[in-house]
Amino acid sequence: MKIRSNIAVSASGLIFNPDTGESFTVNPMGAEIISFLKEGLGQEKISLQITQKYNVEPSAFEKDFEDFMGLLRNYTLLDDE
Amino acid sequence: MMNNKKQLTIAVSGLNAIDSPGPGVPVIRGLREASSFNCRIIGLAYESLEPGIFMHDLVDKTYQIPYPSSGTDSILERLLYINEKEKLDVIIPNFDAELYPFIRLEKRLLEMGIAMFLPTLEQFEERHKVNLNDFGEKYGIRVPKSKAYHEIAELSNISKSFDYPVLIKGKYYDAYVAYNIDQIKSYYHRIVAKWGAPVIIQEFVHGTEFNVTGLGDGRGNTIALVPMRKQYITDKGKAWGGVSISDKRILELTNSFISQTKWRGGFELELMKDKKGEFYLLEINPRLPAWVYLAVGVGQNIPEALVNLALGLKVDPMKEYKVGSMFVRYAWDMIVDIQEFQTISTEGEL
């Protein structure tokens, strides 16, 4: 899964969809995950990066990650559809 | 430094920069920023409290003109007087209601040396709210079901034709959402008192509102095109904030509208995207919108291009614009000497 190429993401976590004009804000963790997605990293690699850096169990991260992907998908920000 | 730009005198109406703003002031801002000409701006006002009258950094001189309902003869008589004093090169009418008389006067004004760039009478009539269903069918554009009602008695059977809620619209301006026949009748009286019959009942499409402004050269070519999503909508349905966007389907729909109709002049399309992602064309305004300065701000100076087309000059299509730029409108209190108000009120010019 990838963030759609025309989606703009700022360093401060503002996401802008130029097709619809919608904008969203994400917290620093969301922004970090989005930056990994933009680099083309898959779920496993992102999970590894996050669980090594922060005190979080892989299973807990996986659940939150899927919730987050569901939100991005719902707002048509992902390219995997 | 030498300035070789030509000097034009351009008359602009729609100076009512109020809560339901006319496009005059933003059009003038675009003209002031034109790279191909310098201009003297003549305001054309209907009411003596239109804010643009008092914006002396934008408007050099303002004349009151008769309402469109007074007929083309009285408008022409006033324009002859104004032209005698100002030697107008171009007029940009900015109200739907005044377009009909100005279209009828176009040839006569051209003989006087005054150019305009308006839709043809056929285009103006065809896109009318009353004819929207036929328009959609002819050009293959999805439109909500609409029907014109000339008499209040005709509205009694409306639930056989429409599900509630419905939109009830005036032929030029105003639109209300009505949830039952009592509300429809109340809005009918309100609208007819202001704009006359008919009113238009339109299927209410739930969704997100998008607008497009653009300019057609009258031969099927798109000269300018900027879509916008409304971000902040007033209780009158007007955009108080918006952002430029790049939805390909909106661009395709608008290009198709221009190429099929061979649209001549500025316009605004009002679109609704429903929950299934389908776009409905709600309205075609045959003039530039009040948010047209966003187009100027993102790289397409539509008022400037419109003037050059009116003068018969070649204008290259503007293909690029900055996506993700916002406009945020604001209200601004000007301090005006009562003498100025007296002058425009009593002498009809300032």
Side-chain angles (χ1 to χ4, degrees), chain B residues 65-119:
Chain B
I65 57 171
Y67 275 101
S69 55
S70 64
T72 50
D73 288 346
S74 64
I75 295 170
L76 181 62
E77 189 184 338
R78 185 63 173 158
L79 292 175
L80 283 167
Y81 169 80
I82 297 168
N83 190 47
E84 201 172 285
K85 296 209 160 197
E86 304 292 347
K87 304 280 179 271
L88 301 177
D89 294 298
V90 175
I91 298 178
I92 305 179
N94 283 309
F95 284 122
D96 296 22
E98 68 188 1
L99 281 181
Y100 181 74
F102 273 99
I103 290 170
R104 289 190 61 194
L105 287 171
E106 189 165 19
K107 197 175 164 197
R108 183 72 203 278
L109 292 174
L110 195 58
E111 287 166 4
M112 290 160 55
I114 305 171
M116 295 190 289
F117 201 69
L118 302 176

Side-chain angles (χ1 to χ4, degrees), chain A residues 16 18-23, chain B residues 210 229 245-247 323-324:
Chain A
F16 176 69
D19 284 348
T20 64
E22 290 172 305
S23 53
Chain B
F210 295 87
R229 176 199 170 105
I245 59 166
S246 63
D247 190 298
V323 175

